[in-house]
Amino acid sequence: MDPLPAAGFVATGSRLPVTAVAFLSESVILSANGGLLRIHNTQSEKCVDEATVFEHARIYGILPLRRGEEGPTSRVLVFGSKSWTIVSIRLDSERARVLPVGRIFAVVDWIKAAHWVCADSAGARWLVALAMAHNQVQVCDAETGRVVRTAQCEERSILYAAALAGDTLDDLCVAAGTVFNQVLVWRVAKGLVERRLVGHEGVIFGVNFSSDQSTLASVSDDRTVRLWSLRPEDCLDGRVEPQDTLYGHHARVWQCLILERCIVSASEDGTCRVWQLGDCGWRTVECWRQCKKNVWAVAANPTQTLVVSGGGDGSLQVRPLAKDSRT
């Protein structure tokens, strides 16, 4: 499929690469250029506010807290390099704005992924789980930054990518994309490798859990998207081979999303692809070119009707998901 021309294009006003994106709400997008956090409105296609979060580090992750938030202020977990913080964003009828950035917390290793974890059944206290480059997870109090738990996987592989899933510490699960072309799935409670996902022919650059944690998607230096079943019946001996391998990108693939009815991938070739499962297997139902090289980040809105992607040329592009590729 030939890439479609740009549509729904939103300029960020920066030539720095967009290294992270997220939807704060159905119409509000957060993006990162270097250490700068920007707020965009999809209706006006304008940047409505911005704030410098890190002075000497790029932002590589933006994670809004979507549960237990009441009132006009939302908390957002932001991380990059060896730093993380919680940013508060106020939404009202007229505009969205970033409140003054609080304390920046430092860690000793590169952060590859982060995740909100509920510390109590009432959802009144939150923790931040950080997956590190040497296959370790550090859990911190979201308010004070105090480390409350550290877990080391039994295999101390170097990671290029990671993902975290689970609502509590007891069920917190890690997908660790290693430089040895494998994904290791392990739980923080035990530190033991439960599943070894083998099949990629290059280092792993991105991993993503499905919402029910039954499927994992991974992307790699080998230009593929691979899908893995995490159901117990599909991995009896701990070694898992891919259920499906998706070919189509012409260069390395950096990121992917598993949505309800489709998968979205972003690549070094400057394109994003939307994949859907049909009678003859997975196929590309939409492909668009955003820039000459490197789409670094991709995210979907809560209802999965829009996708935003961030390019290496500093651009944002917002596109509706095709009707046959979403719920």
Side-chain angles (χ1 to χ4, degrees), residues 297-315:
V298 64
N301 65 341
T303 56
Q304 299 184 8
T305 58
L306 296 174
V307 171
V308 60
S309 50
D313 60 352
S315 66

Side-chain angles (χ1 to χ4, degrees), residues 47-184:
C47 176
V48 296
D49 199 14
E50 62 183 41
T52 298
V53 177
F54 301 134
E55 293 286 350
H56 306 292
R58 288 184 175 182
I59 297 170
Y60 285 110
I62 304 171
L63 293 91
L65 178 57
R66 301 197 183 281
R67 293 172 297 157
E69 293 288 81
E70 297 181 358
T73 302
S74 298
R75 286 178 290 177
V76 180
L77 169 58
V78 179
F79 72 87
S81 184
K82 299 179 181 180
S83 302
W84 67 275
T85 190
I86 305 297
V87 175
S88 294
I89 297 177
R90 186 174 182 84
L91 295 171
D92 54 40
S93 58
E94 296 182 357
R95 61 171 295 183
R97 66 183 187 275
V98 183
L99 300 181
V101 177
R103 183 179 172 186
I104 306 297
F105 301 105
V107 294
V108 298
D109 201 0
W110 298 94
I111 303 172
K112 294 298 179 181
H115 188 66
W116 289 98
V117 180
C118 190
D120 55 51
S121 58
R125 178 169 166 262
W126 290 91
L127 304 173
V128 170
L130 306 169
M132 308 294 195
H134 287 80
N135 213 5
Q136 182 185 83
V137 170
Q138 192 172 92
V139 182
C140 307
D141 186 281
E143 301 297 330
T144 65
R146 180 178 62 89
V147 178
V148 299
R149 185 166 186 173
T150 299
Q152 176 68 60
C153 180
E154 62 178 332
E155 293 196 19
R156 296 174 179 255
S157 306
I158 296 176
L159 311 184
Y160 276 10
L164 294 153
D167 295 328
T168 67
L169 283 178
D170 290 337
D171 60 12
L172 188 59
C173 185
V174 187
T178 76
V179 296
F180 300 114
N181 309 348
Q182 298 181 0
V183 180
L184 307 178

Side-chain angles (χ1 to χ4, degrees), residues 137-296:
V137 170
Q138 192 172 92
V139 182
C140 307
D141 186 281
E143 301 297 330
T144 65
R146 180 178 62 89
V147 178
V148 299
R149 185 166 186 173
T150 299
Q152 176 68 60
C153 180
E154 62 178 332
E155 293 196 19
R156 296 174 179 255
S157 306
I158 296 176
L159 311 184
Y160 276 10
L164 294 153
D167 295 328
T168 67
L169 283 178
D170 290 337
D171 60 12
L172 188 59
C173 185
V174 187
T178 76
V179 296
F180 300 114
N181 309 348
Q182 298 181 0
V183 180
L184 307 178
V185 179
W186 60 283
R187 294 191 180 274
V188 169
K190 296 181 179 180
L192 303 177
V193 175
E194 295 182 352
R195 296 172 177 82
R196 188 181 304 273
L197 282 48
V198 180
H200 274 296
E201 298 176 3
V203 298
I204 313 300
F205 290 129
V207 286
N208 188 256
F209 285 98
S210 62
S211 59
D212 63 358
Q213 299 179 43
S214 66
T215 304
L216 188 84
S218 58
V219 295
S220 167
D221 187 56
D222 62 13
R223 306 181 181 185
T224 67
V225 180
R226 300 191 189 228
L227 303 178
W228 317 80
S229 172
L230 299 182
R231 294 182 177 88
E233 60 268 24
D234 293 326
C235 43
L236 298 179
D237 62 352
R239 183 184 174 96
V240 184
E241 295 187 354
Q243 277 192 324
D244 294 284
T245 301
L246 284 53
Y247 297 95
H249 283 293
H250 301 296
R252 293 174 289 185
V253 189
W254 300 128
Q255 293 289 339
C256 63
L257 297 175
I258 303 181
L259 304 180
E260 292 298 326
R261 296 285 294 277
C262 68
I263 291 170
V264 183
S265 56
S267 171
E268 183 184 31
D269 64 15
T271 70
C272 289
R273 287 179 177 262
V274 180
W275 311 79
Q276 187 177 28
L277 183 61
D279 294 336
C280 298
W282 288 92
R283 64 188 181 94
T284 299
V285 295
E286 190 172 1
C287 177
W288 64 86
R289 179 169 299 282
Q290 178 162 346
C291 52
K292 290 183 178 180
K293 188 176 182 181
N294 291 321
V295 179
W296 289 114

